[in-house]
Amino acid sequence: GQNIDQPTEMTATEGAIVQINCTYQTSGFNGLFWYQQHAGEAPTFLSYNVLDGLEEKGRFSSFLSRSKGYSYLLLKELQMKDSASYLCAVPFEGNNRKLIWGLGTSLAVNP
Amino acid sequence: NAGVMQNPRHLVRRRGQEARLRCSPMKGHSHVYWYRQLPEEGLKFMVYLQKENIIDESGMPKERFSAEFPKEGPSILRIQQVVRGDSAAYFCASSLPSEAGGLSDTIEQFFGPGTRLTVL
C-alpha cells in the first residue's frame, strides 16, 4: 500500500532554521512533491525531487533518500509569513498526475 | 495569465440539494484535477480529467458524485443529494500537457482557491 507520514505540528522562531520530515511507502516511486498551504488558501508548489540528494531553491531546500523512503524540507531564515502547512505528496504507483498526500505539517513561526 | 479560477468560493446547500462546483484551468492547461480536503484528513484525490475525457476517477464516490470537463467551458464537479458529510473544501488544480506523453514527468499542479461547501 501507500502511506505518507509527517509530523502534525512544529514551532520555530523567526530567523531560525527548521526541518520538516516526510517518510513514505509507495510502489513505483517516481518523485516527491512539497507544497505550501496557508490557512484558507490553495496549496502552492515548492519543490519536486526525483533523485537522491539536496536541491536548494533560495531559503527552501528539499532532500530525498529513495533507499530510506525519506524526504525533508529545510526552511532557512524563517519569516513570519512561513507560518503555513507543508504538504508532502508522492505519485500513486508512479503516476505523477495522481498524487497521494500527507496530512501536512502545520508550522508556526514565532517572533 | 490568470490562475486557476473556482466558483463559487463558498456554497451553502441543504441536505438533498445539488451542488455544482466550477473550475476554469489556467490557459494552455490540458488536465484538471479535483481534490477534497477535510481538516483532519488532508487532501484526497478524487478525479482527473482531460478535455472531454475522465482519465481516472478512482477517488470519487461512485454515487452522487460526477465530474466533467467539456470542450468549451469550465470543469464541473457535481454532487447530487448532498449530505452533511459532503461539507469540505473542494480544490481544483490544473497542469500542462506532458511533453513526453508519459506519466513520469514533473507535472506541477496549480491550485485554485477552492470552494468551501457547507451542507446544513
Side-chain angles (χ1 to χ4, degrees):
Chain A
Q2 308 220 184
N3 192 42
I4 300 177
D5 287 310
Q6 303 179 236
T8 305
E9 296 178 340
M10 297 184 72
T11 303
T13 304
E14 196 174 12
I17 299 173
V18 71
Q19 178 175 311
I20 302 174
N21 297 325
C22 171
T23 57
Y24 62 88
Q25 291 176 307
T26 183
S27 56
F29 178 80
N30 193 29
L32 184 143
F33 293 82
W34 282 98
Y35 276 75
Q36 178 192 60
Q37 186 178 24
H38 285 98
E41 297 184 10
T44 55
F45 173 84
L46 289 177
S47 66
Y48 173 72
N49 293 66
V50 65
L51 299 176
D52 289 348
L54 185 69
E55 294 201 8
E56 299 186 63
K57 192 187 292 186
R59 293 191 300 114
F60 291 9
S61 303
S62 55
F63 171 84
L64 176 67
S65 169
R66 289 173 294 174
S67 62
K68 296 181 180 178
Y70 167 69
S71 173
Y72 67 73
L73 184 68
L74 193 69
L75 289 74
K76 303 176 185 175
E77 301 170 15
L78 281 171
Q79 302 176 9
M80 300 295 288
K81 66 178 182 180
D82 297 330
S83 293
S85 184
Y86 291 86
L87 312 176
C88 172
V90 295
F92 179 77
E93 295 181 349
N95 181 354
N96 272 2
R97 296 198 181 277
K98 184 176 176 181
L99 299 180
I100 306 300
W101 298 78
L103 295 182
T105 299
S106 180
L107 173 66
V109 179
N110 297 320
Chain B
N1 189 6
V4 178
M5 301 182 70
Q6 288 188 250
N7 68 82
R9 294 291 305 275
H10 299 273
L11 181 61
V12 179
R13 284 288 178 265
R14 297 190 181 279
R15 282 179 297 170
Q17 291 184 319
E18 178 179 284
R20 281 191 177 225
L21 288 63
R22 295 175 188 78
C23 170
S24 296
M26 289 179 68
K27 187 176 181 180
H29 283 197
S30 58
H31 287 73
V32 164
Y33 312 78
W34 285 96
Y35 294 91
R36 178 162 65 180
Q37 188 174 42
L38 290 166
E40 304 303 320
E41 296 184 9
L43 274 169
K44 296 291 187 187
F45 167 85
M46 298 180 74
V47 59
Y48 81 89
L49 312 94
Q50 198 172 5
K51 277 291 184 181
E52 299 185 273
N53 291 310
I54 295 174
I55 307 300
D56 187 326
E57 57 181 350
S58 58
M60 200 158 64
K62 295 287 188 287
E63 298 180 354
R64 302 189 298 108
F65 284 72
S66 62
E68 62 177 19
F69 189 14
K71 187 176 180 181
E72 302 291 338
S75 175
I76 306 285
L77 179 68
R78 183 181 176 203
I79 311 173
Q80 296 178 289
Q81 300 174 340
V82 295
V83 301
R84 289 215 173 111
D86 296 333
S87 295
Y90 291 84
F91 286 96
C92 163
S94 71
S95 68
L96 289 165
S98 169
E99 290 184 3
L103 301 176
S104 60
D105 302 334
T106 305
I107 302 171
E108 179 182 344
Q109 296 183 19
F110 295 80
F111 282 78
T115 294
R116 276 141 188 90
L117 173 65
T118 302
V119 179
L120 301 177

